[in-house]
Amino acid sequence: MESKDERKPNRLRNEKSPYLLQHAYNPVDWYPWGEEAFNKAKQEDKPIFLSIGYSTCHWCHVMERESFEDEEVAALLNEKFVAIKVDREERPDVDHIYMTVCQAMTGQGGWPLTIVMTPEKKPFFAGTYFPKSAKWGRPGVMDILRQLSEIWENDRGRIDRSVDHIYNTLAPQMARTDPGTLSRETFVEALELYKRQFDDVYGGFGDAPKFPTPHNLIFLLRHAQAAGEADALHMAETTLECMRRGGIYDHVGFGFARYSVDREWLVPHFEKMLYDNALLAYAYLEAYQATGKHDYARVARDIFTYVLRDMTDPDGGFYSAEDADSEGEEGKFYIWTPWEIRDVLGDELGQLYCDAYDITESGNFEGRSIPNLIRTDLDSLARRRGMAAEELTRLLEQARQKLFARREQRVHPGKDDKILTSWNGLMIAALAKGGLVLEEPEYLRAAERAVGFIESRLRDANGRLLARYRDGEAAYLGYVDDYAFLIWGLTELFEAGQDPRHLQRALKLADDLLRLFWDEQNGGLFFYGSDGEQLIARPKEIYDGATPSGNGVAAYTFLRLFYLTGRSDLRDKAERLLTSFAGSINHYPIGYSFSLLAMQQLLHPVRQVVIAGPRGDERTQAFFKETRRGYAPFTLTVLHDPTEGLGGIAEAVRDKQMQGGEVTAYICENFACRAPLTDWEQFRAELEQTRA
């Protein structure tokens, strides 16, 4: 087989995306998305073959090996079509539109996404993975290409009718809203739906495959707090506990895989995504706050260890993902045999580790074993071995470190080292939360560095936020998720460290988001800005997938900013946004969990606490620290140091000054403030009363 150096590269060789570069030496004459490809298709009157995927996608790799590296497939594509490759993580706008088309045409979606469309970007065929030749009940790429080419050349009217129907039906739907009324009854309905889908044995919702969707768990934790719902807490805790014990969690090197293919969370799809780990760290931190259980704090710490060790650029940004495959095999990097374990640990410690982590001769994944604790009770194992639980923990950690060192010598999965503003925003939010909850300055510093990276590398000459950075190049005008997720990260960072600059940045981004993305006519935020490339549709999305929707996060952050600053226009926009989509939310609320988090901020009492005093004063810090005790998701705290100018950007704190030169606390709720307090014991008692 020819090496890459001996093969002729195609146009993708000049791209920055790791996914596009993976295809740079295919015999397919790939084009990146752009006018060159569309002009060629128009001039030569050819349909466009559009393939969308991402660098850590297992079935994308399979389709490449079977079809896009195949000379016969390439010859047919090159002769009859113009072939375009798109990285869905660079162009989520393109992906969103054509995935919606695929789901409407076929009833399902996924990656690789396969679209055939006119030179005007209007689709007439959609699907996902296809083998080269028909098998497993799936048609083959060769057959599909021949049939579509035949229809294109000899029955264009059929294609025109199909294109018109698809375009006229779907384009308006992608931008539509579904107005309704906001009501606490939606939370009741959501809880009932979660109960119906909940797996009471292994946690999670629905059937396999199971996805973590941590935004569901964050809502349940907060609903348990707001409404005293024990069932909500039980569902969240069971899911978090089962996931951390399962094989979806990397017990050797930490971090979570993208999803589990089975009910038990045993066998993951081994790729690791930055967004999953950010949102899961946040959920485990909230669970720790809600329950005081240190296991949850440990999982969050371990996720941060993984991200800061393996997924952080030297200049502070966070990489996107790690592949499922290494050496051409899915999961090979992560699985073990008993012989390999004993070779590293010796017989005695090796057997202990195998007993604890389900490493067996028969294996639990293709003849080898994924470490997991699904059926292990560590306390019982310690008793059987005649040792204290603490001693067992120490030995297993010693074993883990040795196994990690050995695993580091294996061929690592591929890493997608592009830096996405949106996913970095999520990790900034998680690290800021971790710095606050776990009192770890290292996490706050990492979040600050990531913000600095975005500020210095992911802005254009006009200050416009950009979506992707890699290998010295920033590109693509930021999408709604880039703005909303970064605003969330900055808001969390302000709440954790109280640096007014982060609040100021968040407000500026919120103003930019509304200016570029807001739909004045119907409410809500479009997926791409008014200054972006105009595609065949301008969609709006409120539904939460693996990541929450930009609209849901925007509504949530607008409300947080309102309570922090008094900007009532942001509260009005959040309410309009949510009512614009309330019909959909009320119809199936568990599909919109981040919007539910925003609705909680509107419909439940939110407490604002302002501590007026010098930042470095011990009494100021004592007052401030008291506000951080326990689980208080509906309390926002602001430290108002009179020397820092916060009142200039936050009207809500402007009149809350020190009284008689003393550190002073203000507790406000439902747009009314209690009398200012300078006595710490009295402040503590009143805060305790409001918590109750």
Side-chain angles (χ1 to χ4, degrees), residues 372-503:
N372 72 90
L373 292 168
I374 294 171
R375 291 174 180 81
T376 301
D377 182 328
L378 291 176
D379 289 336
S380 296
L381 179 60
R383 286 194 297 271
R384 290 199 306 273
R385 292 298 187 108
M387 64 177 70
E390 295 78 8
E391 175 67 3
L392 177 62
T393 300
R394 185 187 67 80
L395 288 171
L396 291 177
E397 173 57 17
Q398 182 186 104
R400 185 201 68 79
Q401 291 179 18
K402 291 180 178 179
L403 292 170
F404 176 77
R406 174 64 64 86
R407 198 178 77 175
E408 284 293 280
Q409 298 171 22
R410 295 178 175 177
V411 176
H412 281 244
K415 186 173 296 183
D416 189 325
D417 61 355
K418 70 177 178 288
I419 294 167
L420 298 172
T421 299
S422 57
W423 299 0
N424 272 248
L426 298 178
M427 186 51 72
I428 290 165
L431 282 163
K433 178 93 168 178
L436 173 66
V437 172
L438 303 175
E439 298 183 358
E440 283 286 1
E442 175 196 1
Y443 300 154
L444 289 180
R445 286 193 294 269
E448 296 264 8
R449 289 187 72 222
V451 169
F453 186 98
I454 292 169
E455 288 294 319
S456 63
R457 310 289 178 84
L458 280 152
R459 298 274 195 176
D460 70 10
N462 299 315
R464 175 70 153 87
L465 194 63
L466 300 175
R468 185 272 286 150
Y469 177 91
R470 185 177 183 272
D471 192 21
E473 180 194 85
Y476 308 110
L477 295 177
Y479 309 103
V480 64
D481 291 1
D482 296 297
Y483 280 84
F485 296 0
L486 182 55
I487 294 167
W488 183 26
L490 287 165
T491 307
E492 293 283 349
L493 199 46
F494 171 73
E495 292 183 55
Q498 297 291 313
D499 184 339
R501 292 175 301 173
H502 297 314
L503 188 59

Side-chain angles (χ1 to χ4, degrees), residues 26-38:
N26 294 164
V28 176
D29 186 18
W30 290 116
Y31 284 75
W33 180 277
E35 287 307 310
E36 183 184 6
F38 298 120

Side-chain angles (χ1 to χ4, degrees), residues 32-316:
W33 180 277
E35 287 307 310
E36 183 184 6
F38 298 120
N39 289 337
K40 177 181 171 68
K42 289 171 187 173
Q43 290 164 6
E44 299 182 8
D45 191 29
K46 289 180 178 177
I48 288 169
F49 178 88
L50 172 65
S51 178
I52 303 177
Y54 57 102
S55 72
T56 58
C57 164
H58 173 70
W59 286 102
C60 299
H61 300 331
V62 173
M63 192 165 177
E64 180 189 21
R65 287 195 297 267
E66 291 179 343
S67 296
F68 302 143
E69 291 182 347
D70 183 88
E71 296 288 348
E72 188 180 16
V73 174
L76 182 53
L77 271 173
N78 295 343
E79 180 187 357
K80 299 292 187 179
F81 298 81
V82 174
I84 295 178
K85 260 285 173 199
V86 166
D87 182 340
R88 67 172 292 259
E89 295 166 359
E90 283 192 334
R91 294 300 305 262
D93 52 343
V94 173
D95 176 66
H96 181 82
I97 288 170
Y98 293 107
M99 184 60 73
T100 302
V101 169
C102 182
Q103 289 167 335
M105 291 178 71
T106 70
Q108 58 187 3
W111 298 277
L113 176 60
T114 302
I115 299 288
V116 182
M117 60 187 186
T118 70
E120 293 73 36
K121 309 174 191 174
K122 294 180 179 179
F124 56 89
F125 175 86
T128 54
Y129 160 79
F130 296 103
K132 178 187 175 182
S133 303
K135 61 179 177 180
W136 307 326
R138 303 181 76 88
V141 166
M142 292 295 292
D143 293 333
I144 292 168
L145 295 178
R146 290 189 184 108
Q147 290 170 12
L148 292 175
S149 176
E150 173 72 19
I151 295 170
W152 178 265
E153 291 172 2
N154 299 311
D155 193 359
R156 190 71 61 86
R158 179 178 167 188
I159 287 177
D160 291 341
R161 289 190 296 274
S162 174
V163 162
D164 289 344
H165 174 72
I166 294 166
Y167 178 73
N168 294 331
T169 302
L170 288 180
Q173 287 184 11
M174 290 188 211
R176 76 181 182 89
T177 51
D178 186 9
T181 304
L182 304 178
S183 165
R184 290 194 189 191
E185 287 302 311
T186 305
F187 303 138
V188 177
E189 176 63 20
L191 188 64
E192 289 305 310
L193 286 169
Y194 280 122
K195 284 181 187 177
R196 270 181 243 159
Q197 296 192 20
F198 180 61
D199 181 342
D200 205 27
V201 178
Y202 295 107
F205 303 92
D207 299 322
K210 279 185 177 174
F211 290 80
T213 49
H215 24 303
N216 287 335
L217 308 178
I218 297 167
F219 166 74
L220 288 169
L221 289 165
R222 294 190 178 188
H223 186 60
Q225 173 78 358
E229 284 283 0
D231 287 341
L233 182 61
H234 168 71
M235 288 187 284
E237 277 211 81
T238 301
T239 303
L240 289 165
E241 177 65 20
C242 289
M243 285 195 301
R244 81 168 183 88
R245 298 175 71 86
I248 191 174
Y249 182 61
D250 179 358
H251 291 271
V252 174
F254 307 142
F256 281 86
R258 184 165 165 251
Y259 65 87
S260 170
V261 303
D262 59 87
R263 177 189 174 194
E264 299 176 316
W265 307 102
L266 171 62
V267 179
H269 187 53
F270 290 90
E271 64 187 309
K272 291 180 181 176
M273 313 301 293
L274 183 70
Y275 61 77
D276 282 321
N277 283 283
L279 292 165
L280 281 163
Y282 197 99
Y284 277 98
L285 288 165
E286 292 241 331
Y288 170 58
Q289 288 182 295
T291 67
K293 294 179 181 178
H294 290 281
D295 278 345
Y296 297 141
R298 181 180 57 77
V299 174
R301 288 182 190 275
D302 290 348
I303 291 172
F304 294 143
T305 295
Y306 159 67
V307 170
L308 297 178
R309 182 191 67 218
D310 292 346
M311 299 296 287
T312 304
D313 182 85
D315 291 328

